[in-house]
Coordinates of all heavy atoms in Angstrom, one line a residue:
M1 N -229.0 27.2 65.6 CA -228.7 26.0 66.4 C -229.9 25.0 66.4 O -229.7 23.8 66.4 CB -228.4 26.4 67.8 CG -227.0 27.1 67.9 SD -226.5 27.8 69.5 CE -227.3 26.8 70.8
G2 N -231.1 25.6 66.5 CA -232.3 24.7 66.5 C -232.5 23.9 65.2 O -233.0 22.8 65.3
C3 N -232.1 24.5 64.1 CA -232.3 23.9 62.8 C -231.3 22.8 62.7 O -231.5 21.8 61.9 CB -232.1 24.9 61.7 SG -233.4 26.1 61.6
A4 N -230.2 22.8 63.3 CA -229.1 21.7 63.2 C -229.6 20.5 64.0 O -229.0 19.4 63.8 CB -227.8 22.2 63.8
T5 N -230.7 20.5 64.8 CA -231.0 19.3 65.6 C -231.7 18.3 64.8 O -231.8 17.1 65.2 CB -232.0 19.7 66.8 OG1 -233.2 20.3 66.2 CG2 -231.4 20.7 67.6
K6 N -232.3 18.7 63.6 CA -233.1 17.8 62.7 C -234.3 17.3 63.4 O -234.9 16.4 63.0 CB -232.2 16.7 62.2 CG -231.0 17.1 61.5 CD -231.2 17.8 60.3 CE -229.9 18.2 59.6 NZ -230.1 19.1 58.6
N7 N -234.7 18.0 64.5 CA -235.9 17.6 65.2 C -237.0 18.6 64.8 O -236.8 19.8 65.0 CB -235.8 17.7 66.7 CG -237.0 17.3 67.6 OD1 -238.2 17.5 67.1 ND2 -236.7 16.8 68.7
A8 N -238.1 18.2 64.2 CA -239.2 19.0 63.6 C -239.7 20.0 64.6 O -239.9 21.2 64.2 CB -240.2 18.2 63.0
K9 N -240.0 19.5 65.8 CA -240.6 20.4 66.8 C -239.6 21.6 67.2 O -240.0 22.7 67.3 CB -241.0 19.6 68.0 CG -241.8 20.5 69.0 CD -242.3 19.5 70.1 CE -243.2 20.3 71.0 NZ -243.8 19.5 72.0
V10 N -238.3 21.2 67.3 CA -237.3 22.3 67.7 C -237.1 23.2 66.5 O -237.0 24.4 66.7 CB -236.0 21.6 68.1 CG1 -234.9 22.6 68.3 CG2 -236.2 20.7 69.4
I11 N -237.1 22.7 65.3 CA -236.9 23.5 64.1 C -238.0 24.5 64.0 O -237.9 25.7 63.7 CB -236.8 22.6 62.8 CG1 -235.5 21.9 62.8 CG2 -236.8 23.5 61.6 CD1 -235.3 20.8 61.7
T12 N -239.3 24.0 64.2 CA -240.5 24.9 64.1 C -240.4 26.0 65.2 O -240.7 27.2 64.8 CB -241.7 24.1 64.3 OG1 -241.8 23.0 63.4 CG2 -243.0 25.0 64.2
I13 N -240.0 25.8 66.4 CA -239.8 26.7 67.4 C -238.7 27.7 67.0 O -238.9 28.9 67.2 CB -239.5 26.1 68.8 CG1 -240.8 25.3 69.2 CG2 -239.2 27.2 69.8 CD1 -240.5 24.4 70.4
A14 N -237.6 27.2 66.5 CA -236.5 28.1 66.2 C -236.8 29.0 65.1 O -236.6 30.2 65.0 CB -235.2 27.2 65.8
L15 N -237.6 28.5 64.0 CA -238.0 29.3 62.9 C -239.0 30.4 63.3 O -239.0 31.5 62.8 CB -238.6 28.5 61.7 CG -237.5 27.7 61.0 CD1 -238.2 26.7 60.0 CD2 -236.6 28.6 60.2
G16 N -239.9 30.0 64.2 CA -240.8 30.9 64.8 C -240.1 32.1 65.5 O -240.5 33.3 65.4
S17 N -239.2 31.7 66.3 CA -238.3 32.7 67.0 C -237.6 33.6 66.0 O -237.6 34.8 66.2 CB -237.4 32.1 68.0 OG -238.1 31.3 68.9
L18 N -237.0 33.0 65.0 CA -236.3 33.8 64.0 C -237.2 34.8 63.3 O -236.9 35.8 63.0 CB -235.6 32.8 63.0 CG -234.8 33.5 61.9 CD1 -233.7 34.2 62.5 CD2 -234.3 32.4 61.0
Q19 N -238.4 34.3 62.9 CA -239.4 35.1 62.2 C -239.8 36.3 63.2 O -239.9 37.4 62.6 CB -240.7 34.3 62.0 CG -241.7 35.0 61.2 CD -242.9 34.2 60.8 OE1 -242.9 33.0 61.2 NE2 -243.8 34.7 60.0
R20 N -239.9 36.1 64.5 CA -240.2 37.2 65.3 C -239.0 38.2 65.4 O -239.2 39.4 65.3 CB -240.4 36.7 66.8 CG -240.6 37.6 67.9 CD -241.9 38.4 68.0 NE -243.0 37.5 67.9 CZ -243.9 37.4 68.8 NH1 -243.8 38.1 70.0 NH2 -245.0 36.8 68.6
L21 N -237.8 37.7 65.4 CA -236.6 38.6 65.4 C -236.6 39.4 64.1 O -236.1 40.6 64.2 CB -235.4 37.8 65.6 CG -235.1 37.2 67.0 CD1 -234.0 36.2 67.0 CD2 -234.9 38.3 68.0
I22 N -236.9 38.8 63.0 CA -236.8 39.4 61.7 C -237.9 40.6 61.8 O -237.6 41.7 61.3 CB -237.1 38.5 60.5 CG1 -235.8 37.6 60.4 CG2 -237.3 39.2 59.2 CD1 -236.0 36.4 59.5
T23 N -239.1 40.2 62.2 CA -240.1 41.2 62.2 C -239.8 42.5 63.1 O -240.1 43.6 62.8 CB -241.4 40.6 62.7 OG1 -241.8 39.5 61.9 CG2 -242.7 41.6 62.7
L24 N -239.1 42.2 64.2 CA -238.7 43.3 65.1 C -237.4 44.0 64.7 O -236.9 44.9 65.3 CB -238.5 42.7 66.5 CG -239.7 42.1 67.2 CD1 -239.3 41.4 68.5 CD2 -240.7 43.3 67.4
R25 N -236.8 43.5 63.5 CA -235.7 44.0 62.9 C -234.4 43.9 63.9 O -233.6 44.8 64.0 CB -235.8 45.4 62.4 CG -236.8 45.6 61.3 CD -236.9 47.0 60.9 NE -237.9 47.2 59.9 CZ -237.8 47.3 58.6 NH1 -236.6 47.4 58.2 NH2 -238.8 47.5 57.8
A26 N -234.4 42.9 64.6 CA -233.4 42.6 65.5 C -232.2 41.7 64.9 O -231.3 41.3 65.6 CB -233.9 41.8 66.8
V27 N -232.4 41.5 63.6 CA -231.4 40.8 62.8 C -230.6 41.7 62.0 O -231.2 42.6 61.3 CB -232.1 39.7 62.0 CG1 -231.1 39.0 61.1 CG2 -232.8 38.7 62.9
S28 N -229.3 41.7 62.0 CA -228.5 42.6 61.2 C -228.4 42.1 59.8 O -228.6 40.8 59.5 CB -227.1 42.8 61.7 OG -226.4 41.5 61.6
L29 N -228.2 42.9 58.9 CA -228.1 42.5 57.4 C -227.0 41.5 57.2 O -227.1 40.7 56.3 CB -227.9 43.8 56.6 CG -228.4 43.7 55.2 CD1 -229.8 43.3 55.0 CD2 -228.2 45.1 54.4
S30 N -225.9 41.6 58.0 CA -224.8 40.7 57.8 C -225.1 39.3 58.2 O -224.3 38.3 57.8 CB -223.5 41.2 58.6 OG -223.8 41.2 59.9
T31 N -226.1 39.0 59.0 CA -226.4 37.7 59.4 C -227.5 37.0 58.5 O -227.7 35.9 58.6 CB -227.0 37.7 60.8 OG1 -228.2 38.5 60.9 CG2 -225.9 38.2 61.8
I32 N -228.0 37.8 57.5 CA -229.0 37.2 56.6 C -228.5 36.0 55.7 O -229.2 35.1 55.6 CB -229.6 38.3 55.8 CG1 -230.5 39.2 56.8 CG2 -230.6 37.8 54.7 CD1 -231.1 40.4 56.2
P33 N -227.3 36.2 55.1 CA -226.8 35.0 54.3 C -226.7 33.7 55.0 O -227.2 32.7 54.5 CB -225.4 35.5 53.8 CG -225.6 37.0 53.7 CD -226.4 37.3 54.9
P34 N -226.2 33.7 56.3 CA -226.2 32.4 57.0 C -227.6 31.9 57.4 O -227.8 30.7 57.4 CB -225.3 32.7 58.2 CG -224.6 34.0 58.1 CD -225.4 34.7 56.9
I35 N -228.5 32.8 57.6 CA -229.9 32.5 58.0 C -230.5 31.8 56.7 O -231.1 30.8 56.9 CB -230.6 33.7 58.4 CG1 -230.2 34.2 59.7 CG2 -232.1 33.4 58.4 CD1 -230.8 35.5 60.2
I36 N -230.3 32.4 55.5 CA -230.8 31.7 54.4 C -230.2 30.4 54.1 O -230.9 29.5 53.7 CB -230.6 32.7 53.1 CG1 -231.5 34.0 53.4 CG2 -231.0 32.0 51.8 CD1 -231.2 35.0 52.3
Q37 N -228.9 30.2 54.3 CA -228.3 29.0 54.1 C -228.8 27.9 55.1 O -229.1 26.8 54.7 CB -226.7 29.1 54.3 CG -226.0 27.9 54.0 CD -226.2 27.3 52.7 OE1 -226.2 28.0 51.7 NE2 -226.5 25.9 52.6
T38 N -229.1 28.4 56.3 CA -229.5 27.4 57.3 C -231.0 27.0 57.0 O -231.3 25.8 57.2 CB -229.6 28.1 58.7 OG1 -228.2 28.5 59.0 CG2 -230.1 27.2 59.8
M39 N -231.8 27.8 56.5 CA -233.1 27.5 56.0 C -233.1 26.6 54.9 O -233.9 25.7 54.7 CB -234.0 28.8 55.7 CG -234.4 29.5 57.0 SD -235.6 30.8 56.7 CE -234.6 32.1 55.9
N40 N -232.2 26.9 54.0 CA -232.0 25.9 52.8 C -231.6 24.5 53.3 O -232.1 23.6 52.7 CB -230.9 26.5 51.9 CG -230.9 25.7 50.6 OD1 -231.8 25.1 50.2 ND2 -229.6 25.9 50.0
D41 N -230.9 24.4 54.3 CA -230.4 23.1 54.9 C -231.6 22.4 55.5 O -231.7 21.2 55.6 CB -229.3 23.2 55.9 CG -228.0 23.7 55.3 OD1 -227.9 23.7 54.0 OD2 -227.2 24.2 56.0
C42 N -232.6 23.2 56.0 CA -233.8 22.6 56.6 C -235.0 22.2 55.7 O -235.9 21.6 56.1 CB -234.3 23.5 57.7 SG -233.2 23.8 59.1
M43 N -234.8 22.6 54.4 CA -236.0 22.4 53.5 C -236.4 20.9 53.4 O -237.6 20.7 53.1 CB -235.6 23.0 52.1 CG -235.7 24.5 52.0 SD -237.4 25.1 52.4 CE -238.2 24.8 50.9
S44 N -235.6 20.0 53.6 CA -236.0 18.6 53.4 C -236.7 18.0 54.6 O -236.9 16.7 54.6 CB -234.7 17.8 53.0 OG -233.8 17.8 54.1
Q45 N -237.0 18.7 55.6 CA -237.5 18.2 56.9 C -239.0 17.9 56.9 O -239.4 17.1 57.7 CB -237.2 19.2 58.0 CG -235.7 19.5 58.4 CD -235.1 18.1 58.8 OE1 -235.6 17.4 59.6 NE2 -233.9 17.9 58.3
G46 N -239.7 18.4 55.9 CA -241.1 18.1 55.9 C -242.0 19.3 55.5 O -241.4 20.5 55.5
V47 N -243.3 19.1 55.2 CA -244.1 20.2 54.8 C -244.3 21.2 55.8 O -244.3 22.4 55.4 CB -245.4 19.5 54.4 CG1 -246.4 20.6 53.9 CG2 -245.2 18.5 53.2
D48 N -244.5 20.9 57.1 CA -244.7 21.9 58.1 C -243.5 22.8 58.2 O -243.7 24.0 58.4 CB -244.9 21.2 59.5 CG -246.3 20.5 59.5 OD1 -247.1 20.8 58.7 OD2 -246.4 19.6 60.4
I49 N -242.3 22.2 58.1 CA -241.1 23.1 58.2 C -240.9 23.9 57.0 O -240.6 25.1 57.1 CB -239.8 22.1 58.3 CG1 -239.9 21.2 59.5 CG2 -238.6 23.0 58.3 CD1 -240.0 21.9 60.9
Q50 N -241.3 23.4 55.7 CA -241.2 24.2 54.6 C -242.2 25.4 54.6 O -241.8 26.5 54.2 CB -241.6 23.3 53.4 CG -240.5 22.3 53.0 CD -240.9 21.3 51.9 OE1 -242.0 21.4 51.4 NE2 -240.1 20.4 51.6
L51 N -243.5 25.1 55.2 CA -244.3 26.3 55.3 C -243.8 27.3 56.3 O -243.8 28.5 56.0 CB -245.6 25.7 55.9 CG -246.7 26.8 56.2 CD1 -247.1 27.6 55.0 CD2 -247.9 26.2 56.8
K52 N -243.2 26.9 57.4 CA -242.6 27.9 58.3 C -241.5 28.6 57.7 O -241.3 29.9 57.9 CB -242.1 27.2 59.6 CG -241.9 28.0 60.8 CD -243.2 28.6 61.2 CE -243.2 29.2 62.5 NZ -244.3 30.0 62.8
I53 N -240.6 27.9 56.8 CA -239.5 28.6 56.2 C -240.1 29.7 55.1 O -239.5 30.8 55.1 CB -238.7 27.6 55.4 CG1 -237.8 26.8 56.5 CG2 -237.7 28.2 54.4 CD1 -237.1 25.6 55.9
L54 N -241.1 29.3 54.4 CA -241.7 30.3 53.5 C -242.3 31.5 54.3 O -242.1 32.7 53.8 CB -242.8 29.6 52.7 CG -242.3 28.6 51.6 CD1 -243.5 27.9 51.0 CD2 -241.5 29.3 50.6
Q55 N -242.9 31.3 55.4 CA -243.4 32.4 56.2 C -242.3 33.3 56.7 O -242.4 34.5 56.7 CB -244.2 31.9 57.4 CG -245.6 31.2 57.0 CD -246.2 30.5 58.1 OE1 -245.5 30.1 59.1 NE2 -247.4 30.2 58.0
T56 N -241.2 32.6 57.1 CA -240.0 33.4 57.6 C -239.4 34.2 56.4 O -239.0 35.3 56.6 CB -239.0 32.5 58.2 OG1 -239.6 31.6 59.2 CG2 -237.9 33.2 58.8
L57 N -239.3 33.5 55.3 CA -238.8 34.2 54.1 C -239.6 35.5 53.7 O -239.1 36.5 53.3 CB -238.6 33.3 52.9 CG -237.5 32.3 53.0 CD1 -237.6 31.3 51.8 CD2 -236.1 33.0 53.0
L58 N -240.9 35.3 53.9 CA -241.8 36.5 53.5 C -241.5 37.6 54.5 O -241.4 38.8 54.0 CB -243.3 36.1 53.6 CG -244.3 37.1 53.3 CD1 -244.2 37.6 52.0 CD2 -245.7 36.6 53.6
S59 N -241.3 37.3 55.7 CA -241.0 38.3 56.7 C -239.6 39.0 56.4 O -239.4 40.2 56.5 CB -241.0 37.8 58.2 OG -242.2 37.4 58.6
L60 N -238.7 38.2 56.0 CA -237.3 38.6 55.7 C -237.3 39.6 54.5 O -236.8 40.7 54.6 CB -236.5 37.5 55.4 CG -235.0 37.7 55.2 CD1 -234.4 38.1 56.5 CD2 -234.3 36.4 54.7
I61 N -238.1 39.2 53.5 CA -238.1 40.1 52.3 C -238.9 41.4 52.5 O -238.6 42.4 52.0 CB -238.7 39.3 51.0 CG1 -237.6 38.2 50.7 CG2 -238.9 40.2 49.9 CD1 -238.1 37.2 49.6
T62 N -239.9 41.2 53.3 CA -240.8 42.4 53.6 C -240.0 43.4 54.6 O -240.1 44.6 54.3 CB -242.1 41.9 54.3 OG1 -242.7 41.0 53.4 CG2 -243.0 43.1 54.6
N63 N -239.3 42.9 55.5 CA -238.7 43.8 56.4 C -237.3 44.3 56.0 O -236.7 45.2 56.7 CB -238.6 43.1 57.8 CG -240.0 43.1 58.5 OD1 -240.6 44.0 58.7 ND2 -240.4 41.8 58.8
F64 N -236.7 43.6 55.0 CA -235.4 44.0 54.6 C -235.5 44.3 53.1 O -235.0 43.4 52.3 CB -234.4 43.0 54.9 CG -234.1 42.9 56.4 CD1 -234.7 42.0 57.2 CD2 -233.1 43.7 56.9 CE1 -234.4 41.9 58.5 CE2 -232.8 43.6 58.3 CZ -233.4 42.7 59.1
P65 N -236.0 45.4 52.6 CA -236.1 45.6 51.2 C -234.8 45.8 50.5 O -234.7 45.8 49.3 CB -236.9 46.9 51.1 CG -236.8 47.6 52.4 CD -236.5 46.5 53.4
T66 N -233.7 45.8 51.2 CA -232.3 45.9 50.6 C -231.9 44.6 50.1 O -230.8 44.6 49.6 CB -231.3 46.5 51.6 OG1 -231.3 45.7 52.8 CG2 -231.8 48.0 52.0
I67 N -232.6 43.6 50.4 CA -232.2 42.2 49.8 C -232.3 42.2 48.4 O -233.4 42.4 47.8 CB -233.0 41.1 50.5 CG1 -232.7 41.0 52.0 CG2 -232.7 39.8 49.8 CD1 -233.6 40.0 52.7
H68 N -231.3 42.1 47.6 CA -231.3 42.0 46.2 C -230.1 41.3 45.6 O -229.2 40.9 46.4 CB -231.3 43.5 45.6 CG -230.1 44.3 46.0 ND1 -230.1 44.9 47.3 CD2 -229.0 44.7 45.4 CE1 -228.9 45.6 47.4 NE2 -228.2 45.4 46.2
G69 N -229.9 41.1 44.4 CA -228.8 40.5 43.7 C -228.7 39.1 44.1 O -229.7 38.3 44.1
R70 N -227.5 38.6 44.5 CA -227.1 37.3 44.8 C -227.9 36.8 46.0 O -228.4 35.7 46.0 CB -225.6 37.2 45.0 CG -225.2 35.8 45.5 CD -225.2 34.9 44.2 NE -224.7 33.6 44.7 CZ -225.1 32.4 44.1 NH1 -226.0 32.5 43.2 NH2 -224.7 31.3 44.6
L71 N -228.2 37.6 47.0 CA -228.8 37.2 48.2 C -230.3 36.9 47.8 O -230.9 35.9 48.3 CB -228.8 38.3 49.2 CG -229.2 38.0 50.6 CD1 -228.5 36.8 51.1 CD2 -229.0 39.2 51.5
L72 N -231.0 37.7 46.9 CA -232.3 37.4 46.6 C -232.4 36.1 45.7 O -233.3 35.4 45.8 CB -232.8 38.6 45.8 CG -234.3 38.5 45.3 CD1 -235.2 38.3 46.5 CD2 -234.7 39.7 44.5
A73 N -231.4 35.9 44.9 CA -231.3 34.7 44.1 C -231.2 33.5 45.1 O -231.8 32.4 44.8 CB -230.1 34.7 43.2
D74 N -230.5 33.6 46.2 CA -230.4 32.5 47.1 C -231.7 32.2 47.8 O -232.1 31.1 48.0 CB -229.3 32.8 48.2 CG -227.9 32.8 47.7 OD1 -227.7 32.3 46.6 OD2 -227.0 33.3 48.4
V75 N -232.5 33.3 48.0 CA -233.8 33.2 48.6 C -234.7 32.4 47.6 O -235.5 31.5 47.9 CB -234.4 34.5 49.0 CG1 -235.9 34.4 49.3 CG2 -233.7 35.1 50.1
R76 N -234.6 32.9 46.3 CA -235.5 32.2 45.3 C -235.1 30.8 45.1 O -236.0 30.0 44.7 CB -235.3 33.0 44.0 CG -236.0 34.4 44.1 CD -236.1 35.0 42.7 NE -236.8 34.2 41.8 CZ -236.5 34.2 40.4 NH1 -235.7 35.1 40.0 NH2 -237.1 33.4 39.6
A77 N -233.9 30.4 45.4 CA -233.4 29.0 45.2 C -234.1 28.1 46.2 O -234.2 26.8 45.9 CB -232.0 28.9 45.3
L78 N -234.6 28.5 47.3 CA -235.3 27.8 48.3 C -236.6 27.3 47.7 O -237.0 26.2 47.9 CB -235.5 28.5 49.5 CG -234.3 28.9 50.4 CD1 -234.8 29.7 51.6 CD2 -233.5 27.7 50.8

């Protein structure tokens, strides 16, 4: 929801919260594809947002080693 606002400050806060949830493994594997799509939609927001997305993706790949195949290809496309 925060990423849909197109407000850089709100997106940064939303991605930080998402990163924390990923680190705590409070995100289910079934919600990862929409999360990746949402981050892809936010990539054009600016350098600060892109950095936060990369940090979040690193947490995602580190905490969910089962990400592979098409899902990993979607992550690489970012």
